[in-house]
Amino acid sequence: MENKQFKLGIIFNGFNQSDIALYKSQLIELNKKYGDNLKLLLIGFSPEKNDTKFLDGVIYEYAPLASYPHYLKQLNIIRPDLIFIPLENNKFNSTTENIYKFIEAALIDIPIIVNKQFPYTSKLINNKFNGFMFEKASFFMGLLSEIIDAPDRKELLDRCAKMAHSQVLKHLGYYKTSDDGKVTFANKVMVDRLVNAIDSPLVKTE
């Protein structure tokens, strides 16, 4: 295992307390196992504004919610080694097609770890190729520990990040038109906006 502290970013959006709570016991065990060698960072969380009960027993730090484009700049400055997108198996998660968190992380060259839950399927994430995917919640700690303890951890993370970045630009960053000329896949607009937001100067707000 590399000696450098491993920073795991956990996405919090104000509505996914139950998603994160599903992994509470494993997060506590990870705290015990790695101590100061692991930092759990809740991105978009603030104890002053959000309920903290679902995190009782977990040792974590946090970065308060920032609006676009500052969120992307914040993410780029924080630069966790890996971003965890916790997804509970429920109707909302299984019917959404929102993969923005994957795209955002990929554009900043940060790989993600996620459970196999639509829309995050093996068609999008190829484990240890362009990200990390585990079959069910109980496998989370095992896969994360494998990543943290890998002797080639930096190379593994960098490789996945680069492949995800390439995938987003190649497959999600273009217009696809149907035979009648109508745009049927317009993610290029969103990708271009994200790239511009990341690259533009950070403007401080009061």
Side-chain angles (χ1 to χ4, degrees), residues 123-177:
K123 290 184 178 180
L124 180 68
I125 304 296
N126 187 344
N127 188 39
K128 298 181 183 178
F129 179 74
N130 66 338
F132 302 91
M133 177 178 285
F134 50 96
E135 287 289 329
K136 55 184 180 180
S138 59
F139 293 170
F140 166 63
M141 182 173 173
L143 179 56
L144 182 60
S145 294
E146 185 180 336
I147 297 166
I148 295 174
D149 296 338
D152 61 341
R153 184 174 83 194
K154 186 178 186 306
E155 291 77 10
L156 175 63
L157 292 168
D158 287 348
R159 184 171 66 249
C160 287
K162 289 177 181 177
M163 291 306 302
H165 187 105
S166 176
Q167 178 188 16
V168 166
L169 294 183
K170 182 178 180 180
H171 298 291
L172 299 180
Y174 67 93
Y175 289 107
K176 180 179 179 182
T177 57

Side-chain angles (χ1 to χ4, degrees), residues 65-66 194:
L65 180 66
L194 291 178

Side-chain angles (χ1 to χ4, degrees), residues 10-17 20 42-45 50 54 65:
I10 305 173
I11 298 297
F12 178 80
N13 61 21
F15 304 98
N16 63 339
Q17 288 94 332
I20 298 174
L42 263 72
I43 301 170
F45 183 79
N50 305 116
F54 72 102
L65 180 66

Side-chain angles (χ1 to χ4, degrees), residues 49-97:
K49 298 179 180 179
N50 305 116
D51 180 23
T52 62
K53 291 181 181 178
F54 72 102
L55 291 167
D56 282 351
V58 179
I59 301 171
Y60 64 93
E61 296 182 18
Y62 63 91
L65 180 66
S67 59
Y68 273 81
H70 292 83
Y71 164 73
L72 295 172
K73 301 178 194 304
Q74 177 192 52
L75 192 62
N76 200 20
I77 293 170
I78 293 170
R79 296 208 65 79
D81 296 289
L82 186 65
I83 288 180
F84 178 32
I85 304 175
L87 295 173
E88 188 179 15
N89 186 2
N90 57 35
K91 185 176 180 180
F92 176 81
N93 286 336
S94 63
T95 56
T96 185
E97 295 184 2

Side-chain angles (χ1 to χ4, degrees), residues 27-47:
L27 294 174
I28 292 173
E29 287 303 309
L30 285 163
N31 282 148
K32 293 177 180 177
K33 181 177 181 178
Y34 292 105
D36 292 338
N37 289 322
L38 173 66
K39 178 187 287 187
L40 302 179
L41 179 64
L42 263 72
I43 301 170
F45 183 79
S46 175

Side-chain angles (χ1 to χ4, degrees), residues 89-132:
N89 186 2
N90 57 35
K91 185 176 180 180
F92 176 81
N93 286 336
S94 63
T95 56
T96 185
E97 295 184 2
N98 186 336
I99 59 169
Y100 285 6
K101 297 307 176 188
F102 164 67
I103 294 173
E104 292 162 355
L107 290 175
I108 306 175
D109 293 316
I110 302 173
I112 69 164
I113 182 170
V114 64
N115 55 308
K116 192 174 182 179
Q117 166 70 52
F118 185 84
Y120 291 91
T121 67
S122 54
K123 290 184 178 180
L124 180 68
I125 304 296
N126 187 344
N127 188 39
K128 298 181 183 178
F129 179 74
N130 66 338
F132 302 91

